[in-house]
Amino acid sequence: MAHIFDDISRTFNEYLLIPGLTSKECVPDRISLTTPLVKYLKGQYPEMVLNTPFVSAIMQSVSDDHMAIALSRNGGLSFIYGSQSIENQTEMVRKVKKYKAGFVISDANLTPEHTLKDVVALKELTGFSTIGITDDGTFNGKLLGMVTSRDYRPSRDSLEKKVKDFMTPFSKLVTGKYGISLDEANDIIWDNKINALPIIDDRQNLKYFVFRKDYDSHKNNPNELLDTRKRFMVGAGVNTRDYTERIPKLVDAGVDILCIDSSDGFSEWQSETIKFVRDNYGDTMKIGAGNIVDKDGFRYLADAGADFIKVGIGGGSICITREQKGIGRGQATALIEVAKARDEYFEKKGVYIPICSDGGIVQDYHMVLALAMGADFLMMGRYFARFDESPTKKLMVGGSYVKEYWGEGSNRARNWQRYDMGGNSNLKFEEGVDSYVPYAGKLKDNLEITLGKIKSTMCSCGALSISELKQIAKITLVSSTSIIEGGAHDVILKETNT
């Protein structure tokens, strides 16, 4: 006879938080949402942390380089989807790592003998308006000048005009010496009222650019998630099929962390993938695993060496795995059991392995519930798919703007690797749907509102940090009628013009 669990499979919607004592010091501005991203030993500090406890789902309709840049700028992390060619995925990783580095390697370079036509074409190709002019047209050639959009007028100047005739020559450039600090470079930028500072070595070879806009961006986004070289951090999804080819390319591209993307992570395939990373990169390359929904799955992946573990099967808004296969578990119940197993593992082994709650978030307060129930951070798809920065189209449907959103298990995504059980390379049946989500605007604007709600709720619980929330939060089950009571009821709502 099968093992039958006595407890009910419950969702976040079946719980509420009970207020705790809110001290005078417990105000939103003092709340810390920093949380560990990877495992660490007792008494030590994790090598990677998130400043905002959110990561975006490994989905075609959610996580590309644009989302990765926007989310990292706001303290979170994107795992760029792996259901694409290795070349395309690695190029997205490179774009994120090069987007803001403080010291930026020049990706737009020409020689003095090129023409304005070449400048215009290069700008259209790369999107960069600052072009380094070097003796050989490479990113590290001898710097002879610089071209910006202020140096030419395509509507009036001849496209055959030589770059040397309109560039700002080296003799008139303000430059920085290779080896100076970022603070020193920014001081030069401000003192000389310039927008870009070329960094050169003793032989006048171009090494980097430092841009004023990056300084301004950092001041406006103090939670930026940066690596040791001041570059945005980015993750990437991998599968258990082509990982021996994909992972080395992603590492070469500069990826910070990997995550195995699978609907069922309790498998030997995942253990072998983690082993490949450990054998080839030791502990320097981090890799998360999942998804699982019980203590057995957690312990298996923990012993396999996962740096974090994702919890959740079938809880996503576009996921129909439970409907198609009868596999899964209510997200709240799964999270509570896995968090308990994580804490037991920590006490026994002295290793804390962060858990990521993936799916089941409908309301913003569900995020606080997930954190209180033991999650260290949350992976979300629908939430991020609504924003300008997601890779899908904005459409007008039924008089309202929407964005496209489809599951990795849908025929549109054709991500058979995510649902592969070791058989033929095809999608035998769908485990996801193709849909729309209401368009919501810019990520930053919406995220600020969401984080404001989270901090306010944590204040009501009396917690100043996520770790404290886990310790002191009080949670209660709710009935269906109390859910109705919690919303507007027994009144006639006024119609509002939108």
Side-chain angles (χ1 to χ4, degrees):
M1 180 179 176
H3 176 81
I4 299 175
F5 289 84
D6 292 328
D7 60 323
I8 297 171
S9 184
R10 298 190 181 277
T11 68
F12 294 133
N13 216 40
E14 297 176 77
Y15 293 90
L16 285 174
L17 291 151
I18 300 295
L21 174 64
T22 303
S23 65
K24 292 180 180 179
E25 66 176 5
C26 196
V27 293
D29 288 345
R30 299 194 63 183
I31 298 291
S32 171
L33 295 179
T34 300
T35 190
L37 176 60
V38 296
K39 66 183 179 184
Y40 59 94
L41 298 176
K42 184 180 292 186
Q44 295 185 3
Y45 192 76
E47 291 182 42
M48 294 183 181
V49 299
L50 295 169
N51 295 325
T52 299
F54 296 159
V55 297
S56 63
I58 311 170
M59 300 173 68
Q60 295 174 11
S61 56
V62 179
S63 296
D64 65 353
D65 51 301
H66 299 288
M67 178 60 69
I69 290 167
L71 189 49
S72 183
R73 178 179 283 139
N74 288 278
L77 184 85
S78 283
F79 287 94
I80 291 177
Y81 69 94
S83 51
Q84 59 179 322
S85 71
I86 296 174
E87 292 73 23
N88 286 348
Q89 189 184 27
T90 53
E91 181 57 25
M92 286 186 182
V93 169
R94 287 192 182 94
K95 285 180 179 178
V96 178
K97 299 308 292 185
K98 291 179 180 179
Y99 184 82
K100 178 193 179 299
F103 293 99
V104 181
I105 295 175
S106 179
D107 279 335
N109 307 281
L110 294 172
T111 71
E113 296 303 318
H114 279 94
T115 65
L116 178 56
K117 183 179 180 180
D118 297 317
V119 171
V120 173
L122 186 59
K123 183 179 179 182
E124 290 179 354
L125 178 65
T126 64
F128 301 130
S129 58
T130 299
I131 298 174
I133 308 303
T134 59
D135 60 343
D136 58 3
T138 64
F139 69 90
N140 60 353
K142 184 176 181 179
L143 184 65
L144 301 179
M146 190 169 75
V147 169
T148 71
S149 57
R150 294 178 297 180
D151 293 319
Y152 59 89
R153 293 180 294 179
S155 61
R156 296 190 180 185
D157 294 333
S158 169
L159 291 178
E160 300 306 317
K161 190 175 184 179
K162 294 280 189 178
V163 166
K164 63 184 178 183
D165 294 330
F166 62 88
M167 71 180 186
T168 302
F170 180 81
S171 60
K172 294 185 179 180
L173 290 178
V174 177
T175 62
K177 186 177 180 180
Y178 181 51
I180 66 171
S181 69
L182 186 59
D183 286 340
E184 290 172 327
N186 282 319
D187 286 342
I188 295 173
I189 287 174
W190 281 92
D191 291 343
N192 291 276
K193 300 180 181 180
I194 56 177
N195 291 321
L197 176 71
I199 305 297
I200 59 172
D201 64 16
D202 293 334
R203 293 180 292 179
Q204 202 175 311
N205 292 325
L206 178 62
K207 304 300 290 186
Y208 304 107
F209 276 114
V210 177
F211 294 99
R212 175 191 288 266
K213 63 182 177 63
D214 289 341
Y215 176 87
D216 294 337
S217 174
H218 179 66
K219 291 301 179 183
N220 293 329
N221 299 281
N223 289 324
E224 284 179 331
L225 194 66
L226 307 176
D227 65 16
T228 55
R229 293 170 57 188
K230 305 297 183 183
R231 301 176 300 179
F232 282 140
M233 292 182 63
V234 61
V238 297
N239 61 67
T240 57
R241 279 283 186 149
D242 67 4
Y243 61 90
T244 58
E245 295 84 27
R246 187 175 294 268
I247 289 177
K249 296 290 182 62
L250 289 168
V251 173
D252 288 343
V255 74
D256 295 285
I257 186 169
L258 305 168
C259 183
I260 305 173
D261 182 28
S262 174
S263 64
D264 179 8
F266 194 0
S267 74
E268 292 182 344
W269 305 105
Q270 294 222 355
S271 179
E272 290 180 357
T273 305
I274 296 170
K275 185 177 185 300
F276 173 83
V277 171
R278 295 291 172 254
D279 288 346
N280 288 275
Y281 305 101
D283 291 325
T284 59
M285 177 49 57
K286 308 301 181 182
I287 182 167
N291 287 20
I292 49 89
V293 292
D294 68 355
K295 60 184 179 182
D296 295 333
F298 172 84
R299 288 170 182 163
Y300 180 81
L301 292 179
D303 290 339
D307 287 294
F308 69 84
I309 296 173
K310 283 205 296 159
V311 179
I313 295 178
S317 59
I318 39 69
C319 183
I320 54 173
T321 296
R322 298 179 194 174
E323 182 179 305
Q324 291 282 56
K325 294 171 60 176
I327 294 290
R329 199 176 196 185
Q331 188 67 10
T333 299
L335 187 55
I336 291 169
E337 178 174 318
V338 173
K340 183 178 179 181
R342 185 268 318 279
D343 293 343
E344 291 173 350
Y345 193 90
F346 182 48
E347 289 301 315
K348 182 179 179 181
K349 305 265 190 174
V351 179
Y352 186 91
I353 303 176
I355 55 177
C356 169
S357 180
D358 179 13
I361 300 293
V362 180
Q363 307 292 338
D364 284 354
Y365 78 87
H366 291 170
M367 301 174 188
V368 187
L369 277 169
L371 296 171
M373 289 174 177
D376 294 280
F377 56 97
L378 316 177
M379 176 173 280
M380 297 183 290
R382 180 191 62 84
Y383 179 86
F384 291 113
R386 304 172 300 145
F387 303 144
D388 286 323
E389 293 83 359
S390 73
T392 61
K393 297 177 182 177
K394 183 175 76 170
L395 306 170
M396 176 72 78
V397 176
S400 299
Y401 281 112
V402 297
K403 293 208 75 176
E404 295 179 296
Y405 180 47
W406 60 90
E408 288 297 292
S410 67
N411 270 322
R412 181 170 183 174
R414 303 300 304 171
N415 186 6
W416 63 269
Q417 295 96 332
R418 187 178 199 275
Y419 300 87
D420 178 39
M421 302 298 287
N424 295 327
S425 58
N426 58 67
L427 195 65
K428 297 178 177 64
F429 56 88
E430 291 187 275
E431 293 186 47
V433 299
D434 197 341
S435 64
Y436 301 115
V437 289
Y439 169 67
K442 294 185 179 299
L443 180 147
K444 183 178 179 64
D445 297 339
N446 287 273
L447 191 60
E448 286 179 350
I449 294 172
T450 295
L451 295 179
K453 290 181 183 178
I454 290 174
K455 290 180 178 181
S456 180
T457 303
M458 289 175 64
C459 284
S460 292
C461 294
L464 285 165
S465 65
I466 292 174
S467 59
E468 188 176 9
L469 178 70
K470 293 175 186 177
Q471 299 297 320
I472 68 172
K474 297 178 288 185
I475 301 173
T476 181
L477 279 166
V478 295
S479 67
S480 58
T481 52
S482 69
I483 293 174
I484 296 172
E485 179 186 63
H489 61 91
D490 300 321
V491 294
I492 300 173
L493 295 178
K494 295 180 180 179
E495 292 186 6
T496 57
N497 294 322
T498 57

